[in-house]
């Protein structure tokens, strides 16, 4: 292997390890970020720096009792300083709702990691944060579109 593919392989390993650490609720996950890292998450916005990213993780943890990413089925793409991971997750909210339900939630996500060396400089997380399907208007819209498609 050449130096470029070695660093890309290492970055892929770090990205996969990120999901293992998140699933385990390991607070050391923050150590794989640069000091000035930033993170995007839908309905939350942008966190800047390790302290804000850590606070976001704690806040997310208040609503999710358990989370498991299906790592073996991930699609991982690497280009330059970027690692993109597409996959599925499942879990249980702190109110006892299991997700996804396979009806209006599917547990699919895509994370885009930007690296600086072997540390994450930027992560954009694309996922539906309505794990328990409490966004009634959005769920109703999805159901209405599914119903109209079913009649085709």
């Amino acid at each position: 292997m050449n130096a470029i593919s070695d660093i890309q392989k290492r970055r892929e390993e770090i990205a996969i390890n990120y999901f293992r650490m998140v699933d385990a609720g390991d607070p050391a996950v923050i150590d794989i970020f640069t000091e000035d890292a930033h993170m995007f998450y839908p309905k939350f916005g942008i966190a800047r720096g390790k302290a804000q990213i850590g606070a976001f993780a704690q806040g997310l943890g208040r609503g999710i009792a358990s989370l498991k990413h299906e790592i073996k089925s991930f699609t991982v793409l690497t280009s330059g300083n970027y690692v993109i991971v597409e996959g599925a997750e499942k879990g249980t909210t702190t109110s006892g709702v299991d997700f996804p339900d396979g009806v209006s939630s599917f547990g699919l996500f895509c994370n885009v990691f930007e690296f600086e060396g072997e540390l994450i400089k930027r992560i954009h997380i694309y996922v539906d944060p309505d794990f328990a399907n409490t966004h009634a208007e959005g769920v109703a819209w999805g159901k209405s579109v599914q119903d109209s498609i079913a009649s085709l």
Side-chain angles (χ1 to χ4, degrees):
M1 276 194 182
N2 62 38
I4 293 174
S5 59
D6 286 345
I7 189 69
Q8 288 177 330
K9 182 170 179 43
R10 179 69 184 125
R11 288 171 175 165
E12 288 179 5
E13 291 168 355
I14 293 165
I16 299 301
N17 195 43
Y18 159 87
F19 292 102
R20 288 187 181 106
M21 295 174 85
V22 166
D23 290 353
D26 186 345
V29 70
I30 203 70
D31 295 336
I32 63 175
F33 286 88
T34 63
E35 290 298 326
D36 63 344
H38 81 266
M39 180 208 72
F40 166 79
Y41 191 89
K43 304 294 186 210
F44 167 78
I46 296 175
R48 290 177 174 81
K50 286 184 172 186
Q52 288 185 8
I53 293 170
F56 164 82
Q58 289 176 342
L60 186 63
R62 288 195 301 264
I64 298 178
S66 69
L67 182 64
K68 173 138 178 58
H69 291 88
E70 297 175 8
I71 293 172
K72 289 183 180 182
S73 64
F74 280 0
T75 298
V76 180
L77 302 169
T78 304
S79 180
N81 292 333
Y82 293 89
V83 175
I84 297 110
V85 178
E86 181 183 55
E89 61 189 5
K90 60 184 175 181
T92 305
T93 66
T94 53
S95 61
V97 176
D98 291 332
F99 63 88
D101 67 9
V103 176
S104 58
S105 69
F106 299 92
L108 302 176
F109 70 89
C110 184
N111 284 18
V112 179
F113 298 88
E114 180 182 357
F115 281 83
E116 185 174 277
E118 292 190 4
L119 294 174
I120 300 167
K121 181 175 183 65
R122 180 178 72 89
I123 180 173
H124 284 195
I125 302 168
Y126 301 99
V127 65
D128 181 357
D130 184 21
F131 299 109
N133 295 322
T134 57
H135 177 213
E137 191 175 302
V139 171
W141 169 84
K143 174 91 172 85
S144 72
V145 173
Q146 288 173 350
D147 290 347
S148 67
I149 289 172
S151 67
L152 295 177

